[in-house]
Amino acid sequence: MSTTLLSAWEHTVRTAPAAVALIDSASGNTFSRAHLDAQADAWCDAHGKHLETLTVVLCEPNGPGWWRVFLGLLKAGAVVAPLDPGEPAAAQRAAAAAIRGSW
C-alpha cells in the first residue's frame, strides 16, 4: 500500500494532536502537531486556490513558516520542490525552470 506524505502527516496529527512537532531554535517556541496543521490549513485557505496542478518551488528558511507553507501547498494539491534558500537566486530560478516549477 502506498501512503502519501500528506496522509501520513494527517494520521500523525490525529494520533497525538498535542504532541510537539517543532521547536523553533531561533525563538525557543514549540508548536504542536495540531497547531502546525491549523496554520497549514489557514495558509491553504488563503493562498492555495488553483495550485493543484502546479509544481511549486519552495525556497523558505527552516522553521515554522517553512512547515506552514510546505503543508499548505500539499493540502492545496501542489507538487512541492524545496530549494535551499542559501543558493543564489539565479540557481534557484534555474532549478525551478528545470522542473517547470512556478517561481
Side-chain angles (χ1 to χ4, degrees):
M1 179 166 83
S2 177
T3 301
T4 66
L5 181 60
L6 182 58
S7 64
W9 167 255
E10 290 169 342
H11 173 75
T12 299
V13 173
R14 282 191 308 272
T15 301
V20 173
L22 178 74
I23 301 171
D24 184 3
S25 61
S27 67
N29 293 332
T30 60
F31 299 85
S32 72
R33 294 171 180 175
H35 181 79
L36 282 179
D37 197 57
Q39 285 188 333
D41 285 339
W43 187 94
C44 183
D45 290 345
H47 307 286
K49 292 164 184 54
H50 310 294
L51 294 176
E52 66 276 356
T53 60
L54 296 178
T55 298
V56 178
V57 294
L58 173 60
C59 187
E60 179 83 20
N62 289 337
W66 189 93
W67 282 103
R68 178 183 62 248
V69 176
F70 177 72
L71 290 170
L73 286 165
L74 291 180
K75 288 172 180 270
V79 174
V80 185
L83 298 179
D84 182 350
E87 289 290 322
Q92 294 171 6
R93 281 191 295 277
I99 61 169
R100 296 185 181 132
S102 298
W103 177 260

